[in-house]
Amino acid sequence: MAELSITGLGKTYPGGVQAVEGVTAEIADGEFIVLVGPSGCGKSTILRMIAGLETITTGDLLIGDRRVNNLEPGDRDIAMVFQNYALYPHMTVRKNMEYGLKNEGLPRSEIDARIAEATRTLRLEDYLDRKPRQLSGGQRQRVAMGRAIVRDPKVFLFDEPLSNLDAKLRTQLRAELKALHKRLGATFVYVTHDQVEAMSLADRIIIMNAGRVEQIGLPMDLYLRPATRFVAEFIGSPAMNFVEGTVDPDRRSLAVNGSHSLRFAEPLPAEPGHKIALGIRPEHLTEVPAGALSMELEVDFIEQLGADTVVHGKLAGANSPLAVRLHGVQAGAAGSVVTLGCEMDNLHLFDLGTGQRLN
Amino acid sequence: MQKRVVFRSRLLPYLLVAPQIAVTVVFFFWPSYQALESSFFLEDAFGFSRQWVGLLNYTELFDDPGYLRSFRTTLIFGLSVAFLAMSLALALAVAANRVVRAATSYRTLLIWPYAVAPALAGVIWYFLMNPSLGIVAYWLQNAGVDWNHYVNGDQALLLVIVAAAWKQISYNFLFFLAGLQSIPRSLIEAAAIDRATPFQRFWTITFPLLTPTTFFLLVVNLVYAFFDTFALIHATTEGGPVDATSILVFRVYSTGFVGQDYGSSAAQSVILMALVIAMTIVQFRYVERKVVY
Ligand SMILES: Nc1ncnc2c1ncn2[C@@H]1O[C@H](COP(=O)(O)OP(=O)(O)O)[C@@H](O)[C@H]1O
Ligand SMILES: [Mg+2]
């Protein structure tokens, strides 16, 4: 079967750039895995090592139960969709899709059957005799997927396949990708820097930072219990608020900026004197000043999104930036003060130095 | 966005291009016109008298088996030079593209032959291949090849082909290398994932994508071989032995300056001019249409 086992994977480029370090992950057969992280964190490098386009510096890579570290890309039973599509510009759509099958030496009837099937799935019937340059971005992306599908590989690799498309098309193709994954039942490894894409597509997410894995988990795990401050900040939009401070001896208040302090209904799960970053998602703050904590927000400006209103401002007396996401259309003026509350369960505590989760 | 410089004076731009125009008129249009004119006259060797003969110079040329042979020789010479110079340059460019993506020293070395004057290139090969002095001729003789391009016409033709091609390789190399580097790496990678062997990748992806470069170079190389190799041939074989390396441009010279038949020589240069113009048109039309794949 097509599970993917990655152990201690590392990559040092000639010239000394250590792009990936000690990445370990088990990917189940038929899983949709999304590798997400900021630009330059090593996502493409991992994908390219899986594909066989970059040599593996350290670690082991198994597809099924075969160690593929030293296999040629063509022998790994994978297919890849590139960000720039990488369609052969001098070949028609049909020729593009045939190319790999011919190289495999499949009989004509089999080739035609597979192309017919993929063409139907991706609604490419009308474009088979066109050259890539005669197609729109979305159509090219479909052809690139078609070229992967006809190969019938165990593992599909995608490197930011939607990032060259406009927002509307991106949403549409996202849905198609999800449906395609369901139909094919193959293992998908998908790279993106867009957390929304990651959350909406993934069975599980691998979130990376500077060549290392920060956390692996279900999208909701990453949202509800981010393991590090980095993950907490990366997942969710608008981004999580952070208030930095020192836990007081009674553990019921947090000294922010020395003068100002926040009081909590229950003791904080952190040692007295510990320097922490308290994380609260904008959507978890409410205007009802109940719950575990009450705080005051000095309004700077308001973003009306229609369904929601995002109020941006500062924690009164402490200067930490703070954003709140409120339901519906809300009024508010710059300079006014809003009192906000938050449930204890929605507080995230991170060590200020290491960024590790404390609660 | 392109910024346009606008001259305040209407005269200045004309003044600026005047030298170039003057050079072109004096050294190109005027002699061209003179050649065209003389091709319709029969002139005595000392230039004292001349007589209008209409197209006689032309009709005589096409009845002359020597001239027709020259056409054939030129064709063989041109195609061989283009093929040799382009295939070697492509092989070198592929190697360079693979080994050193950015290193320029290797590239610089390969450009050197292009800086050598054609006559010098001819002389270098003349010495290398000289039956009594040349080191390459000596090696060939040791290898059992009886090399003497003074006697053997085929060998003489081979010699000028090699010398002419050698000089052109570096030029072709630069264009091929640039062409190769403009092919996105992801295409080759996609082909590798599609199970194409390196050999298949080259012939089914790289080479077709180089078509624009290849076509451009083919025209440039043919033009070079047809019209730009006079000095080289003059310095090595002087068109001989007999007529074996007497390509069309060389024949213009030998008919005119050696044979002193100015009318025929002029007619030959007019034919050559027509050929250049035709090839230039082909190239321009092609450049306009650009991508062919
Ligand atoms: N061929 C290469 N040679 C040297 N360094 C590279 C190469 N490719 C990528 N890198 C470096 O490795 C790091 C990770 O790159 P990449 O995997 O492309 O990141 P991502 O896809 O997450 O944006 C970056 O710092 C990048 O500059
Ligand atoms: Mg990338």
Side-chain angles (χ1 to χ4, degrees):
Chain A
M1 289 315 287
E3 56 276 341
L4 212 72
S5 162
I6 301 170
T7 318
L9 203 65
K11 173 75 190 181
T12 308
Y13 280 107
V17 181
Q18 184 153 27
V20 173
E21 216 185 326
V23 170
T24 297
E26 294 292 329
I27 298 168
D29 180 42
E31 204 173 8
F32 198 137
I33 282 280
V34 176
L35 269 168
V36 71
S39 167
C41 70
K43 310 176 296 285
S44 297
T45 304
I46 293 183
L47 203 71
R48 293 169 57 81
M49 282 194 282
I50 298 174
L53 300 173
E54 298 287 353
T55 54
I56 293 171
T57 315
T58 58
D60 281 316
L61 175 65
L62 277 74
I63 298 178
D65 40 23
R66 221 162 37 132
R67 185 174 182 272
V68 298
N69 277 44
N70 300 315
L71 288 189
E72 289 295 316
D75 299 330
R76 294 190 179 195
D77 214 352
I78 49 112
M80 180 156 166
V81 177
F82 293 81
Q83 177 172 0
N84 65 359
Y85 320 128
L87 298 177
Y88 311 124
H90 56 303
M91 297 184 193
T92 60
V93 169
R94 179 191 291 280
K95 287 257 155 49
N96 262 281
M97 294 205 274
E98 269 178 9
Y99 187 74
L101 304 180
K102 278 190 177 163
N103 290 337
E104 271 179 55
L106 290 185
R108 188 77 245 176
S109 55
E110 173 72 16
I111 294 180
D112 288 340
R114 286 203 196 177
I115 289 182
E117 161 95 29
T119 310
R120 197 154 3 95
T121 311
L122 296 163
R123 301 191 312 279
L124 285 169
E125 290 95 339
D126 298 340
Y127 310 112
L128 277 177
D129 296 318
R130 292 212 197 157
K131 297 270 180 72
R133 73 184 130 85
Q134 296 165 310
L135 301 176
S136 71
Q139 291 163 344
R140 283 181 208 181
Q141 195 49 267
R142 283 213 184 83
V143 176
M145 285 183 198
R147 191 171 64 177
I149 292 172
V150 293
R151 295 281 315 283
D152 192 19
K154 282 187 182 159
V155 180
F156 285 83
L157 306 173
F158 298 87
D159 193 352
E160 314 222 4
L162 306 184
S163 60
N164 287 352
L165 304 173
D166 61 61
K168 196 170 166 211
L169 205 53
R170 220 157 38 214
T171 316
Q172 183 193 336
L173 277 172
R174 219 154 62 196
E176 288 184 20
L177 253 171
K178 194 78 184 153
L180 189 69
H181 174 250
K182 215 174 196 148
R183 256 173 41 88
L184 297 173
T187 310
F188 277 32
V189 182
Y190 186 103
V191 160
T192 179
H193 64 268
D194 179 354
Q195 55 103 8
V196 177
E197 219 167 278
M199 296 292 279
S200 67
L201 285 173
D203 290 336
R204 276 196 307 155
I205 292 177
I206 302 180
I207 176 162
M208 298 200 41
N209 179 25
R212 296 171 162 279
V213 172
E214 287 278 332
Q215 188 174 1
I216 303 181
L218 305 175
M220 276 310 121
D221 285 349
L222 267 57
Y223 177 79
L224 295 172
R225 280 187 64 80
T228 64
R229 183 174 173 176
F230 176 85
V231 176
E233 235 171 337
F234 195 85
I235 301 288
S237 168
M240 187 184 280
N241 299 301
F242 288 97
V243 180
E244 296 177 1
T246 312
V247 181
D248 280 349
D250 66 354
R251 293 169 55 197
R252 282 176 179 269
S253 60
L254 185 69
V256 188
N257 263 0
S259 61
H260 190 87
S261 72
L262 289 177
R263 286 213 53 87
F264 299 86
E266 293 170 41
L268 288 172
E271 295 302 308
H274 204 140
K275 285 193 188 333
I276 63 162
L278 172 72
I280 307 170
R281 294 201 182 276
E283 55 271 37
H284 290 155
L285 284 166
T286 51
E287 265 190 301
V288 189
L293 154 77
S294 124
M295 59 208 286
E296 297 196 318
L297 168 71
E298 267 178 37
V299 179
D300 282 339
F301 64 96
I302 290 185
E303 268 182 298
Q304 299 282 9
L305 301 177
D308 291 320
T309 304
V310 182
V311 183
H312 294 267
K314 288 189 284 290
L315 180 61
N319 243 359
S320 320
L322 203 62
V324 190
R325 183 173 198 146
L326 302 171
H327 276 296
V329 181
Q330 306 275 341
S336 61
V337 172
V338 188
T339 307
L340 299 165
C342 180
E343 296 299 330
M344 205 68 196
D345 284 350
N346 289 329
L347 300 182
H348 306 266
L349 271 61
F350 301 98
D351 184 287
L352 193 59
T354 63
Q356 293 299 315
R357 186 182 186 88
L358 296 170
N359 60 329
Chain B
M1 248 186 289
Q2 208 171 4
K3 266 199 188 156
R4 282 201 183 188
V5 180
V6 181
F7 291 105
R8 236 175 265 150
S9 146
R10 287 180 136 269
L11 192 64
L12 186 61
Y14 293 103
L15 271 175
L16 289 175
V17 293
Q20 181 61 46
I21 302 252
V23 166
T24 312
V25 167
V26 172
F27 292 103
F28 186 73
F29 284 116
W30 189 29
S32 303
Y33 170 74
Q34 288 215 315
L36 189 63
E37 192 192 13
S38 336
S39 71
F40 298 111
F41 287 91
L42 204 56
E43 204 166 338
D44 71 87
F46 305 103
F48 289 141
S49 67
R50 60 186 203 169
Q51 184 193 349
W52 171 266
V53 292
L55 288 176
L56 184 70
N57 285 323
Y58 293 93
T59 50
E60 265 185 355
L61 272 181
F62 287 101
D63 287 337
D64 174 9
Y67 188 70
L68 297 178
R69 197 167 52 244
S70 259
F71 246 109
R72 226 196 73 189
T73 311
T74 309
L75 214 61
I76 295 173
F77 175 75
L79 291 176
S80 310
V81 168
F83 178 76
L84 201 62
M86 287 172 67
S87 48
L88 288 176
L90 181 56
L92 288 171
V94 168
N97 189 41
R98 205 189 186 102
V99 183
V100 275
R101 279 218 148 236
T104 46
S105 53
Y106 181 58
R107 229 185 292 176
T108 314
L109 282 178
L110 279 156
I111 296 160
W112 278 357
Y114 194 63
V116 175
L120 277 182
V123 171
I124 290 169
W125 284 93
Y126 170 84
F127 277 120
L128 286 174
M129 304 302 287
N130 189 294
S132 45
L133 304 169
I135 181 79
V136 178
Y138 173 75
W139 289 336
L140 284 172
Q141 255 135 29
N142 279 357
V145 181
D146 184 18
W147 182 270
N148 189 344
H149 62 256
Y150 292 111
V151 182
N152 187 323
D154 290 340
Q155 290 184 356
L157 188 57
L158 188 62
L159 170 66
V160 289
I161 286 170
V162 169
W166 174 74
K167 208 185 114 45
Q168 196 63 12
I169 285 176
S170 36
Y171 181 88
N172 298 346
F173 168 81
L174 281 185
F175 277 85
F176 274 134
L177 189 60
L180 285 171
Q181 294 194 331
S182 70
I183 296 176
R185 202 152 65 108
S186 57
L187 290 184
I188 310 298
E189 292 174 343
I193 291 175
D194 271 343
R195 307 199 71 156
T197 61
F199 183 83
Q200 285 172 322
R201 275 175 242 162
F202 180 80
W203 288 111
T204 56
I205 310 290
T206 310
F207 192 71
L209 292 181
L210 280 177
T211 313
T213 311
T214 309
F215 186 83
F216 164 79
L217 284 178
L218 181 65
V219 176
V220 168
N221 279 255
L222 286 178
V223 169
Y224 158 78
F226 288 171
F227 312 112
D228 234 9
T229 43
F230 166 78
L232 186 143
I233 288 181
H234 187 56
T236 40
T237 61
E238 300 208 50
V242 197
D243 231 4
T245 55
S246 174
I247 62 167
L248 290 171
V249 262
F250 194 82
R251 208 177 181 86
V252 171
Y253 160 83
S254 54
T255 310
F257 291 85
V258 183
Q260 309 238 310
D261 184 349
Y262 297 127
S264 171
S265 173
Q268 290 182 29
S269 37
V270 170
I271 291 171
L272 275 182
M273 253 188 289
L275 221 64
V276 179
I277 291 168
M279 292 178 78
T280 312
I281 289 173
V282 170
Q283 189 172 348
F284 273 154
R285 297 207 99 175
Y286 175 75
V287 168
E288 267 165 29
R289 245 183 283 134
K290 253 182 123 187
V291 204
V292 104
Y293 53 76

